[in-house]
Amino acid sequence: MSLPLFNPFDPQYVADPHAYYARLRQTAPVQRAVLPDGQVVWLLTRYDDVEAAFTDPRMVKDPRNACSPEQLARMPARPQSTRYTRTNMLSRDAPDHTRLRRLVSKAFTPRMVEQLRPRVQAIADALLDAVAARGEMNVIDEYAFPLPITVIAEMLGVPVADRDQFREWSDAILTAIPPQPATPVAVAALEGLAQYLEGRFEERRRAPAEDLITGLVQAEEAGDKLSKDELQGMAYVLLVAGYETTANLIGSGVLALLQHPNQLAKLWADPTLMPSAVEELLRFTSPVKTSTLRYAAADVSVGDVVIPKGEMVLVIITAANRDPARFPSPDTLDITRSDNKHLAFGHGVHYCLGAPLARLEGEIAFGTLLRRLPDLRLGVASETLTWRPSFGVRGLERLPVRF
């Protein structure tokens, strides 16, 4: 029997994935489908199923821990330069995942992140200083991306002046995250980033500093803590994942607030609602649409369906965050929503390490924008806005506003 096609690059899907996932939740919440490259994947769209998959030890990240030699042989070959998408902690299981995560976890604790508040605030103010007199700006290019890129670049110890190059590489690399094919543009971006990072590693070997790159290099030099590929993979995931989610949260969140003026008015009237608003915007916009791939290490029952050992599984965060069985009126933006255990940062051992930083950046970004730019409004008709075609993340191409 032929399988339905799941094409996350279809323009209709890119424009409105929520409608697609709503149909799946109702008709086939555990759906076996085929990707454009012919690979077969199971899509999980119900909140309870997605949450369970995040913590089920039979759902592993490394296919070598789940698939038979025959299944591994059928997987598409990928260029050597894409190995950093597989050697980072997002794609590893315990004990490697535990070891890699521990190396950088201290930098992202709520206490350490809170110390960054004055610097994040200064960055937000500087970005708005640059546009305040104009009365208009593109939120994506002039605020949503430069703010978190600047923060993570400073934490890593790489030149903030290179942030436009980081973004260019990131945009290309995100199109090569498995199961997407590695295009020549994506391969070139991975190679460019790898060469760039190697240069930074060499600098820190010669001249250590108080930054994350130095910490990673010293862990590599300690021997069994970090291999060369793991060093590259860790720096890659911190740089790319360190700003991508937050940038999309800021851009999509501003649009959501402007499209829901009653919620925007509540936030303007009562800034103490900001932490709650950030949680609701994370749920409502789902900056990360899917988790990275998982593989069934045994036959796994999900509802009345059995996912066979070795098959690929994709948990759909966007669908889970709009599941009416978990969230009343899920398609309504409600910044006062109290029971809001969304899955925007995942769940379980792979819960997003940077969640405290993303929350802090979101609170400051939205709060500063609303405080400093009165009468904030869309600069174009909302139906003219377009979304970046990407398998795993959801973000706007541009967002012109006036104030």
Side-chain angles (χ1 to χ4, degrees), residues 58-74:
R58 298 170 298 174
M59 294 284 192
V60 301
K61 291 297 192 81
D62 189 335
R64 295 170 299 182
N65 294 333
C67 302
S68 67
E70 293 76 19
Q71 289 171 319
L72 290 172
R74 289 196 297 269

Side-chain angles (χ1 to χ4, degrees), residues 96 99-100 103 218-227 230:
D96 286 332
R99 172 175 56 86
L100 294 172
L103 287 172
Q218 291 173 346
E220 178 203 30
E221 293 173 343
D224 62 350
K225 291 183 179 179
L226 204 62
S227 70
E230 288 173 339

Side-chain angles (χ1 to χ4, degrees), residues 221-270:
E221 293 173 343
D224 62 350
K225 291 183 179 179
L226 204 62
S227 70
K228 182 176 181 179
D229 278 358
E230 288 173 339
L231 173 63
Q232 283 276 7
M234 181 68 81
Y236 147 78
V237 79
L238 289 174
L239 185 57
V240 176
Y243 77 84
E244 184 71 39
T245 300
T246 307
N248 292 331
L249 166 65
I250 296 170
S252 302
V254 169
L255 175 61
L257 289 171
L258 293 177
Q259 290 179 325
H260 296 80
N262 62 328
Q263 300 299 299
L264 182 59
K266 284 183 181 180
L267 201 50
W268 250 320
D270 185 1

Side-chain angles (χ1 to χ4, degrees), residues 371-387:
R371 185 178 69 253
R372 293 196 50 186
L373 304 185
D375 193 28
L376 187 68
R377 60 197 184 277
L378 278 174
V380 297
S382 59
E383 58 267 22
T384 66
L385 297 173
T386 56
W387 299 86

Side-chain angles (χ1 to χ4, degrees), residues 191-239:
E191 292 173 346
L193 179 58
Q195 292 172 8
Y196 177 88
L197 290 173
E198 188 54 44
R200 304 289 80 75
F201 299 151
E202 287 302 319
E203 286 180 7
R204 288 298 176 256
R205 290 186 182 103
R206 294 192 303 268
E210 294 293 325
D211 55 44
L212 280 174
I213 288 289
T214 298
L216 294 174
V217 166
Q218 291 173 346
E220 178 203 30
E221 293 173 343
D224 62 350
K225 291 183 179 179
L226 204 62
S227 70
K228 182 176 181 179
D229 278 358
E230 288 173 339
L231 173 63
Q232 283 276 7
M234 181 68 81
Y236 147 78
V237 79
L238 289 174
L239 185 57

